[in-house]
Amino acid sequence: MGHKWYRCEYSLKSICITIGIIFVVAIILPSQDIVCSKAKNSCSLYSKNVFTVNLKLTNQFRISDIAE
């Protein structure tokens, strides 16, 4: 019986550690999004952390600059 409880505790610990690692990585690494508009001939690159609601403009460039 002792072995079954040990396995359960080990599984719970590993699940908590995995969730913790995913949480830390999500905080450290921002997600990025790119929005392009043909009419404006521009692309905007935005970054966002997990806890921020607003997107932060990190880079903006013209589409025509890419084609050249």
Side-chain angles (χ1 to χ4, degrees), residues 6-55:
Y6 175 75
R7 289 181 188 160
C8 182
E9 288 178 19
Y10 181 73
S11 298
L12 186 59
K13 286 180 184 179
S14 62
I15 289 170
C16 290
I17 290 171
T18 304
I19 290 172
I21 290 171
I22 291 170
F23 183 72
V24 169
V25 169
I27 291 172
I28 294 172
L29 297 176
S31 63
Q32 294 187 343
D33 189 23
I34 188 165
V35 178
C36 293
S37 171
K38 258 183 152 177
K40 294 180 183 178
N41 189 30
S42 68
C43 287
S44 301
L45 184 64
Y46 296 97
S47 68
K48 175 186 161 212
N49 286 345
V50 173
F51 296 113
T52 58
V53 177
N54 298 332
L55 295 172

